[in-house]
């Protein structure tokens, strides 16, 4: 049994369960939730799936619901700096005590299960069940629930229904698990649609994706919830954006045009909730969007030189990041610190970002066997950037970049979320950005 006195042990225990634990399917999470008394059946959900923008959109929706006075659970993955980030109630992370206590409960339930031979409860399934228990205990009015991978077979899809299902932009990622075309991936994500649920989809999806989603919505007996696509952008800079949507002004602190798309999706989800009888005043949506923050999405951590963190780790993420760099940082000399894992489309990401860099520092994220070596990254970067440094660690890369950067330059740390979390810890001791 787990040592319940030490919360670190609980987290180590959860990590020891492994990413993949058997055949794809909901049979394991169903059995586990049943052993726990099906806590998910006592909660209301906004359920999100998609390739990019899930975390930011979920954060905006949760912030607005909280501003409306609703006790709001938020379940996201992965975490950046600490595991507790994944389970929050009204913006507050789960406590050591609650995590350890609930971990013990879920462990006992796991031991009572009879699963197919060779199958076990995996880390994500375990954490999802634990989160449901936490949200019930905390008496959440509504939970914003982000899928981990895909949709149809994702552990979060054990829920029987959702108030609203949200699909954020879909692109190619996790192809080994989800399929090789955006249409196939969209069909997997659409597996979260349920009868009678409102479906909200980010605008700007490829036509084949849109077709698959509309068909899946009809087949599931869900209700497609459209909304205005046009929004008037008043300001878009490194401090965030201001825009007018449906004749109402909003601001968001997260920079980049892609965050405007996420904000529109969030506002559409809030409209769908209002249609279902939820009381969300406009003023709460305005305040919620303005207050929403997410770590590692063009996050400003130091002002001079400007240091930004961004977890762009697939081709669509790198594309959004590069658009933001082109628009928001074109006057600054750019130092890029980058590390990737080997099971992502790292060639495209490195090429795209390196072509914008004045200096490029290749390093290795702390991701165990999944880490891509610095030499491979440096060799790819050299194809599009003249000044490339091969660094033995993230710390070394940051030190070197700070040594070379002048006060009005920008250091952009990007790639694997493992790297972003590591660098967040390294930089934490430095003076923080002022809002």
């Amino acid at each position: 049994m787990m040592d319940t006195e030490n919360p670190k042990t609980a987290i180590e225990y959860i990590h020891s369960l492994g990413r993949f634990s058997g055949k794809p399917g909901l049979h394991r999470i169903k059995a586990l939730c049943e052993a726990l008394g099906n806590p998910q059946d006592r909660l209301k959900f906004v359920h999100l799936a998609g390739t990019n923008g899930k975390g930011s959109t979920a954060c905006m929706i949760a912030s607005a619901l909280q501003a409306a006075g609703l006790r709001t659970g938020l379940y996201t993955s992965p975490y950046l700096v600490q595991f507790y980030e994944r389970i929050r109630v009204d913006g507050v992370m789960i406590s050591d005590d609650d995590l350890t206590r609930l971990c013990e409960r879920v462990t006992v339930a796991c031991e009572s299960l009879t699963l197919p031979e060779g199958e076990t409860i995996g880390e994500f399934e375990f954490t999802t069940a634990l989160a449901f228990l936490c949200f019930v205990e905390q008496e959440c009015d509504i939970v914003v629930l982000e899928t981990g991978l895909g949709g149809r077979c994702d552990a979060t899809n054990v829920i029987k229904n959702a108030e609203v299902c949200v699909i954020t932009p879909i692109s190619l990622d996790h192809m080994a698990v989800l399929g090789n075309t955006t249409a196939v991936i969209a069909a997997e994500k659409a597996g979260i649609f349920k009868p009678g649920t409102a479906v909200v989809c980010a605008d700007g999806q490829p036509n084949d994706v849109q077709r698959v989603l509309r068909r899946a919505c009809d087949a599931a007996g869900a209700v497609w919830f459209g909304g205005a696509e046009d929004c008037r952008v008043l300001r878009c800079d490194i401090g965030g954006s201001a825009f007018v949507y449906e004749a109402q002004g909003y601001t968001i602190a997260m920079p980049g045009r892609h965050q405007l798309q996420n904000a529109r999706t969030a506002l559409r989800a809030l409209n769908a909730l209002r249609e279902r009888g939820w009381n969300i005043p406009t003023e709460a949506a305005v305040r919620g969007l303005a207050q929403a923050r997410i770590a590692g999405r063009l996050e400003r951590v130091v002002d001079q030189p400007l240091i930004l963190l961004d977890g762009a780790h697939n081709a669509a993420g790198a594309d959004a990041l590069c658009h933001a760099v082109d628009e928001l940082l074109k006057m600054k000399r750019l130092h890029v610190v980058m590390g990737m894992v080997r099971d992502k489309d790292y060639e495209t990401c490195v090429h795209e970002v390196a072509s914008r860099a004045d200096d490029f520092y290749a390093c290795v994220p702390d991701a165990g066997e999944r880490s891509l070596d610095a030499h491979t990254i440096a060799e790819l970067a050299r194809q599009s950037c003249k000044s490339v440094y091969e660094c033995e660690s993230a710390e070394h890369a940051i030190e070197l970049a700070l040594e070379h950067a002048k006060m009005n330059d920008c250091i952009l740390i990007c790639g694997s979320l493992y790297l972003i979390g590591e660098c967040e810890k390294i930089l934490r001791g430095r003076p923080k950005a002022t809002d």
Side-chain angles (χ1 to χ4, degrees):
M1 283 294 277
M2 199 185 71
D3 170 16
T4 53
E5 294 305 302
N6 182 352
K8 187 163 174 267
T9 310
I11 293 169
E12 281 173 353
Y13 176 74
I14 292 169
H15 285 330
S16 75
L17 298 171
R19 286 177 82 214
F20 299 108
S21 54
K23 281 191 188 130
L26 299 175
H27 54 287
R28 289 181 299 274
I29 185 72
K30 275 182 177 163
L32 177 56
C33 285
E34 207 162 296
L36 292 165
N38 285 319
Q40 75 282 7
D41 291 351
R42 290 150 63 192
L43 297 163
K44 305 269 191 201
F45 296 98
V46 174
H47 200 184
L48 292 96
T51 311
N52 292 91
K54 287 198 300 286
S56 300
T57 307
C59 178
M60 290 177 195
I61 294 169
S63 184
L65 293 173
Q66 193 184 326
L70 294 161
R71 191 154 176 76
T72 305
L74 176 61
Y75 182 59
T76 56
S77 63
Y79 63 92
L80 271 188
V81 177
Q82 47 183 332
F83 183 88
Y84 310 99
E85 295 165 27
R86 295 176 68 165
I87 302 169
R88 302 177 195 238
V89 176
D90 283 353
V92 179
M93 291 185 271
I94 188 171
S95 69
D96 282 351
D97 289 351
D98 285 351
L99 182 74
T100 304
R101 183 175 49 77
L102 293 174
C103 187
E104 185 65 48
R105 260 185 82 184
V106 181
T107 304
V108 170
C110 286
E111 286 165 357
S112 73
L113 302 179
T114 310
L115 294 174
E117 198 172 332
E119 295 199 12
T120 54
I121 295 293
E123 177 178 345
F124 190 71
E125 291 161 331
F126 189 102
T127 310
T128 301
L130 190 152
F132 291 147
L133 288 175
C134 171
F135 296 140
V136 167
E137 273 191 2
Q138 293 287 326
E139 298 181 337
C140 290
D141 297 309
I142 191 162
V143 173
V144 181
L145 187 70
E146 183 192 322
T147 55
L149 175 62
R152 184 174 59 88
C153 293
D154 188 80
T156 60
N157 205 29
V158 71
I159 67 173
K160 284 194 184 132
N161 219 323
E163 296 293 296
V164 182
C165 287
V166 178
I167 301 288
T168 65
I170 288 175
S171 59
L172 295 173
D173 199 3
H174 297 292
M175 279 98 82
V177 182
L178 300 178
N180 284 323
T181 68
T182 49
V184 172
I185 292 174
E188 280 293 316
K189 310 276 186 196
I192 68 169
F193 299 167
K194 310 279 191 301
T197 297
V199 170
V200 164
C201 177
D203 45 32
Q205 300 276 18
N207 287 338
D208 59 339
V209 167
Q210 190 82 356
R211 268 197 305 276
V212 168
L213 295 175
R214 289 302 289 253
R215 264 206 305 272
C217 178
D218 292 344
V223 182
W224 189 267
F225 191 91
E229 289 197 14
D230 51 314
C231 88
R232 194 154 51 88
V233 181
L234 308 175
R235 167 178 70 83
C236 183
D237 57 35
I238 205 65
S241 301
F243 63 100
V244 177
Y245 180 80
E246 293 183 331
Q248 174 64 50
Y250 297 91
T251 60
I252 46 174
M254 298 185 253
R257 295 240 162 220
H258 55 294
Q259 294 295 5
L260 287 162
Q261 182 186 31
N262 294 332
R264 286 196 301 275
T265 309
L267 289 169
R268 204 173 292 161
L270 295 172
N271 277 341
L273 284 167
R274 288 187 186 106
E275 291 261 320
R276 295 176 73 89
W278 292 83
N279 179 22
I280 306 161
T282 303
E283 178 273 328
V286 171
R287 199 152 37 95
L289 257 62
Q291 290 170 344
R293 301 280 189 287
I294 189 165
R297 307 295 192 279
L298 269 179
E299 180 193 3
R300 202 165 94 239
V301 283
V302 179
D303 277 332
Q304 286 191 309
L306 177 63
I307 302 182
L308 301 172
L309 299 178
D310 194 90
H313 57 270
N314 57 32
D319 191 48
L321 171 60
C322 289
H323 274 102
V325 166
D326 294 345
E327 182 173 11
L328 308 177
L329 301 171
K330 54 179 172 281
M331 302 309 287
K332 288 187 178 289
R333 184 173 175 80
L334 189 65
H335 304 259
V336 171
V337 172
M338 194 168 189
M340 294 288 289
V341 289
R342 60 177 72 249
D343 52 11
K344 296 286 178 184
D345 181 8
Y346 59 82
E347 292 188 19
T348 306
C349 295
V350 173
H351 172 72
E352 282 287 306
V353 177
S355 64
R356 271 107 177 145
D358 294 290
D359 295 293
F360 188 100
Y361 308 82
C363 62
V364 183
D366 184 12
E369 289 174 6
R370 295 178 66 203
S371 301
L372 185 65
D373 63 283
H375 181 68
T376 302
I377 295 173
E379 285 301 298
L380 284 167
R382 285 189 180 103
Q383 295 171 17
S384 15
C385 176
K386 288 195 178 78
S387 172
V388 177
Y389 301 86
E390 211 171 297
C391 306
E392 67 236 20
S393 66
E395 194 139 17
H396 176 216
I398 290 173
E399 272 170 27
L400 209 52
L402 282 166
E403 213 176 283
H404 295 162
K406 294 191 169 59
M407 279 317 229
N408 57 354
D409 289 357
C410 175
I411 298 172
L412 171 64
I413 300 167
C414 64
S416 167
L417 288 166
Y418 290 101
L419 176 75
I420 304 308
E422 210 181 325
C423 293
E424 179 113 349
K425 279 183 194 160
I426 293 165
L427 292 163
R428 217 193 246 150
R430 296 181 59 81
K432 282 297 262 185
T434 46
D435 274 333

